[in-house]
Every structure is written in C-alpha cells, then in structure tokens.
Amino acid sequence: MTADQPICCPTCKGVLPGRQRSDYTAARGRLVVVNGYCQGHCPAPEQPPRLQAPADHGSRQPLNVPAPAL
C-alpha cells in the first residue's frame, strides 16, 4: 500500500478493503477490530471551498506613478 491510498473511510472511519494481499497487515487488522469495515454507503465528505483568483476582464488602468528623482 502506498501513502496516497487511505486505509480508513474519511466519513465513517471504517477500514476500506485492501487492493492486494500485502495490504492486510496486523496493524490493519487491529483497525478492523476497533473501527470495523466501511460498508461503502457513506456520502462523500464535503470539500472546503476553493479560493479563486479574480477574473481578469482586460480593464486594467496603467498606474500613474511618478518616476523617481535622480
């Protein structure tokens, strides 16, 4: 199992089924005893809203900044 594959369901905290035989370790077995298996009927967890950059409409005005005095 790689680090990017979750072991527990983010909603019910139940253990997700392994994909291969090597996924079934003693640690995973302890989680199954404590949390049980995920039944697979959990709704997807809500995603936090993403921040979006303001839309660029091409209406930018040039800044009137005086040149530095030498």
Side-chain angles (χ1 to χ4, degrees), residues 49-69:
R50 295 183 180 195
L51 298 177
Q52 295 181 354
D56 182 16
H57 298 289
S59 62
R60 294 186 180 178
Q61 299 287 332
L63 296 176
N64 293 329
V65 179

Side-chain angles (χ1 to χ4, degrees), residues 9-10 14 16 26 37 53 57 60 62 65 70:
C9 172
L16 298 170
Y37 278 106
H57 298 289
R60 294 186 180 178
V65 179
L70 299 176

Side-chain angles (χ1 to χ4, degrees), residues 1-26:
M1 170 162 282
T2 60
D4 59 341
Q5 296 173 332
I7 294 177
C8 295
C9 172
T11 304
C12 73
K13 307 301 182 215
V15 179
L16 298 170
R19 295 181 185 232
Q20 53 194 9
R21 187 177 186 168
S22 62
D23 291 344
Y24 291 92
T25 62

